[in-house]
Amino acid sequence: MKLTLLPLLFFAFGSIAQTYNPFYASLADDCNQDTINQNLNLFEGFGVKEIGTTEIDNTYNWLYNSYVSYGYTDLQEDQFFATGIGAKNLIVTKTGTVYPNTYVIIDAHYDTSNGPGANDNGSGTVILLELARLLKDVQTEYSIKFIHFSAEENGLLGSINYVNDDVVSTNMDIKVVFNIDQVGGIAGMTNDIIVCESDQSPPTANNAASDIATTELANCIEFYSTLSTEFYFAYGSDYVPFMNNGEIVTGLYEKNETPYAHTSNDLIVNMDLDYLYQVTKGAMGSLAHFAVALDDVSLSEFDKSALSIYPTPSDGNLTIETQQLIGQKAIISVIDVSGKIVWNQTIQSIAAKEHLQINDLTAGSYLMTVESEGRILRRKIILQ
Ligand SMILES: [Zn+2]
């Protein structure tokens, strides 16, 4: 819930090459409206989730157990004190296959104020659950942290605590923070627009990157849901401590703003569940895009004929040949046995034959990856 509405700022983005990805569409189509609604019913049933209450503890335990039931094993209980009261964030990590130490954070607060908070923020909470459920066995290049913040309603205290204690102290490498807060719409209204939020406030060094991420978010929403998008600036939710720390943020917020936030009438009956379902689909496509989800089935077929690399062993002068990727942007990386990227190069428009010069690496065996359009090709190479 946001307390003030400020005038709309208009800003222009450069155009970004981004294409519809059939695999991301299939993930979006896998979102199950019944599952989402069942989770939202449970969330509402826990009651008023203010910090220090049994109700919020029960909600936390339900979230925790849900992730365990999906098969997640890296769950962190992040305890802190909010105005002297014990509170906890839940952080669930899914490790990426190519960039395990770079994180896409998707977050939603689960505490509520005065009412059960079905919209604010049961809506964001159940979206995270549904995306986590579906992505459990999908490889992603980047690691994902699903974060359920507490004490948002007390002044963003959960996310402030997390940024101070975990992000800053570990110098965490964050690709993007994707915040979802109050996206349930209003019963009886036409809810067909979602607001995509970008960082428009100081410090400004991270604002252009937030614009780009938010344009990508809006493109994904339009690719993978039936919704239209509008832009607004980010304020009043858990991305704020991240953007103040110089991270790249983006977020979703409902266009028709519920009048029931922070009241006992913030109930499912006052929401638009079809809208929530569409927001979930758009968020699924967006998260798949940000984390670069990989379609292993089509990958193996694609992989066989798509790429050859020679000679190997090589003195560092390599040729890669690809027919299927011609004209596309490609990121070529060399990864050592410990999984660390030791060399990489981005080619904006790849030719049928590309000559690479890989110097300064010790002799040995490496993995070369060619990443393009959400697909990744892998080959072992040997340098002499
Ligand atoms: Zn909220």
Side-chain angles (χ1 to χ4, degrees), residues 288-302:
H289 169 75
F290 287 136
V292 192
L294 301 169
D295 180 0
D296 272 355
V297 180
S298 69
L299 225 172
S300 51
E301 293 161 13
F302 178 80

Side-chain angles (χ1 to χ4, degrees), residues 156-220:
L156 316 179
L157 297 182
S159 49
I160 289 171
N161 178 82
Y162 181 73
V163 170
N164 288 343
D165 285 5
D166 290 69
V167 175
V168 174
S169 66
T170 63
N171 197 22
M172 191 183 290
D173 183 19
I174 298 174
K175 186 184 185 207
V176 66
V177 177
F178 176 17
N179 181 76
I180 305 180
D181 191 356
Q182 196 177 308
V183 291
I186 301 176
M189 287 185 70
T190 299
N191 303 285
D192 55 8
I193 298 171
I194 187 80
V195 177
C196 300
E197 304 166 309
S198 70
D199 182 356
Q200 303 287 304
S201 57
T204 56
N206 54 343
N207 290 11
S210 172
D211 281 356
I212 291 169
T214 304
T215 301
E216 293 180 6
L217 173 67
N219 288 340
C220 287

Side-chain angles (χ1 to χ4, degrees), residues 141-357:
E141 291 191 8
Y142 291 86
S143 289
I144 301 174
K145 284 185 183 291
F146 300 91
I147 303 186
H148 296 266
F149 285 121
S150 185
E152 192 267 358
E153 303 290 8
N154 305 77
L156 316 179
L157 297 182
S159 49
I160 289 171
N161 178 82
Y162 181 73
V163 170
N164 288 343
D165 285 5
D166 290 69
V167 175
V168 174
S169 66
T170 63
N171 197 22
M172 191 183 290
D173 183 19
I174 298 174
K175 186 184 185 207
V176 66
V177 177
F178 176 17
N179 181 76
I180 305 180
D181 191 356
Q182 196 177 308
V183 291
I186 301 176
M189 287 185 70
T190 299
N191 303 285
D192 55 8
I193 298 171
I194 187 80
V195 177
C196 300
E197 304 166 309
S198 70
D199 182 356
Q200 303 287 304
S201 57
T204 56
N206 54 343
N207 290 11
S210 172
D211 281 356
I212 291 169
T214 304
T215 301
E216 293 180 6
L217 173 67
N219 288 340
C220 287
I221 297 286
E222 300 206 357
F223 284 151
Y224 307 116
S225 78
T226 58
L227 302 174
S228 304
T229 55
E230 281 185 9
F231 294 100
Y232 205 79
F233 54 88
Y235 72 101
S237 191
D238 284 317
Y239 38 30
V240 169
F242 290 92
M243 65 198 219
N244 288 346
N245 191 49
E247 309 300 342
I248 299 162
V249 309
T250 193
L252 292 176
Y253 192 66
E254 62 193 1
K255 168 67 175 172
N256 293 329
E257 194 177 343
T258 180
Y260 302 112
H262 303 178
T263 76
S264 57
N265 286 321
D266 188 356
L267 299 169
I268 295 168
V269 68
N270 291 318
M271 292 167 57
D272 178 347
L273 294 178
D274 290 333
Y275 179 67
L276 175 61
Y277 176 57
Q278 291 301 327
V279 178
T280 308
K281 289 183 68 177
M284 177 76 256
S286 305
L287 184 60
H289 169 75
F290 287 136
V292 192
L294 301 169
D295 180 0
D296 272 355
V297 180
S298 69
L299 225 172
S300 51
E301 293 161 13
F302 178 80
D303 203 18
K304 283 175 198 149
S305 59
L307 181 74
S308 60
I309 300 175
Y310 55 84
T312 181
S314 138
D315 61 0
N317 289 294
L318 281 164
T319 300
I320 65 174
E321 237 184 275
T322 167
Q323 291 297 323
Q324 295 188 32
L325 301 180
I326 292 173
Q328 295 182 11
K329 180 178 168 181
I331 301 166
I332 301 166
S333 305
V334 176
I335 297 165
D336 71 12
V337 287
S338 75
K340 189 173 170 226
I341 297 172
V342 290
W343 182 93
N344 83 336
Q345 182 178 332
T346 299
I347 298 175
Q348 291 302 330
S349 173
I350 198 164
K353 279 190 189 183
E354 290 281 348
H355 299 288
L356 308 174
Q357 224 181 341

Side-chain angles (χ1 to χ4, degrees), residues 30-211:
D30 286 343
C31 292
N32 186 313
Q33 193 169 13
D34 291 337
T35 307
I36 297 163
N37 293 350
Q38 283 162 14
N39 281 330
L40 193 60
N41 268 299
L42 290 168
F43 184 91
E44 181 176 286
F46 286 117
V48 184
K49 292 165 272 287
E50 293 178 352
I51 56 171
T53 62
T54 306
E55 286 78 0
I56 197 167
D57 283 347
N58 291 341
T59 308
Y60 177 94
N61 292 336
W62 164 70
L63 288 169
Y64 189 100
N65 292 331
S66 296
Y67 282 93
V68 171
S69 77
Y70 302 152
Y72 286 91
T73 53
D74 186 346
L75 291 82
Q76 179 194 349
E77 180 176 295
D78 178 30
Q79 292 188 309
F80 61 100
F81 283 93
T83 62
I85 299 168
K88 49 197 181 186
N89 302 321
L90 175 63
I91 297 136
V92 180
T93 304
K94 170 182 168 61
T95 303
T97 54
V98 181
Y99 310 107
N101 298 317
T102 303
Y103 297 95
V104 171
I105 290 178
I106 182 166
D107 73 278
H109 74 86
Y110 73 98
D111 62 309
T112 71
S113 177
N114 296 317
N119 192 343
D120 182 18
N121 185 29
S123 59
T125 302
V126 299
I127 288 175
L128 261 61
L129 288 177
E130 184 65 357
L131 272 44
R133 184 180 75 82
L134 292 171
L135 285 174
K136 167 60 182 62
D137 294 320
V138 175
Q139 282 189 30
T140 56
E141 291 191 8
Y142 291 86
S143 289
I144 301 174
K145 284 185 183 291
F146 300 91
I147 303 186
H148 296 266
F149 285 121
S150 185
E152 192 267 358
E153 303 290 8
N154 305 77
L156 316 179
L157 297 182
S159 49
I160 289 171
N161 178 82
Y162 181 73
V163 170
N164 288 343
D165 285 5
D166 290 69
V167 175
V168 174
S169 66
T170 63
N171 197 22
M172 191 183 290
D173 183 19
I174 298 174
K175 186 184 185 207
V176 66
V177 177
F178 176 17
N179 181 76
I180 305 180
D181 191 356
Q182 196 177 308
V183 291
I186 301 176
M189 287 185 70
T190 299
N191 303 285
D192 55 8
I193 298 171
I194 187 80
V195 177
C196 300
E197 304 166 309
S198 70
D199 182 356
Q200 303 287 304
S201 57
T204 56
N206 54 343
N207 290 11
S210 172
D211 281 356

